[in-house]
Amino acid sequence: VQLVESGGGLVQTGGSLRLSCATSGFTFDDYAIGWFRQAPGAAREGVSCISSSGGSTVYADSVKGRFTISKNNAENTVLLQMNNLSPEDTAVYYCAAVFTDFRYHYCSNSQKAYHYWGEGTQVTVSS
């Protein structure tokens, strides 16, 4: 099982980035995918998740209306479109996967739910 994040970088306040989580080694349609982030000195927190069906999504209150998660089943990737970024969004962003079997509409923003993790990609928002 492999998850590889990309798309991070340095952006100014108000800018946008699109993160990608490329997956391999498992049946993509059987897994929910979550995005998490960890700022310096802070605990890792859930940002957003999408169910295996793609029909259910969850967003942290801090990113609602600014971030959008989506699945590309043809490429086995999950995207996180981040708009109107602020310095508070600066963190290392991780994607994670959990097998959900027949729970097609399940996903969770709790990191305890996830079994597989990527290495992360740095997002820095300058003021």
Side-chain angles (χ1 to χ4, degrees):
V1 174
Q2 190 172 23
L3 298 96
V4 180
E5 304 92 339
S6 63
L10 174 64
V11 64
Q12 292 185 332
T13 295
S16 299
L17 284 174
R18 188 176 73 171
L19 303 184
S20 178
C21 175
T23 73
S24 61
F26 60 90
T27 304
F28 186 66
D29 291 346
D30 290 340
Y31 283 71
I33 304 294
W35 280 100
F36 296 80
R37 67 185 181 185
Q38 187 167 21
R44 189 158 55 184
E45 63 175 354
V47 175
S48 183
C49 65
I50 188 165
S51 63
S52 60
S53 69
S56 297
T57 57
V58 176
Y59 294 94
D61 288 342
S62 59
V63 307
K64 281 181 182 176
R66 300 188 299 123
F67 290 12
T68 303
I69 192 170
S70 62
K71 292 185 76 177
N72 184 330
N73 289 327
E75 297 184 359
N76 289 353
T77 60
V78 172
L79 304 176
L80 185 68
Q81 178 66 42
M82 308 188 296
N83 298 328
N84 194 22
L85 287 161
S86 72
E88 289 70 34
D89 296 313
T90 294
V92 177
Y93 284 71
Y94 302 87
C95 64
V98 59
F99 177 64
T100 57
D101 200 2
F102 294 106
R103 296 175 294 168
Y104 302 120
H105 301 298
Y106 166 86
C107 77
S108 171
N109 262 2
S110 170
Q111 59 181 315
K112 294 181 180 179
Y114 291 84
H115 302 147
Y116 305 106
W117 292 81
E119 296 291 322
T121 185
Q122 176 70 47
V123 171
T124 303
V125 185
S126 63
S127 57

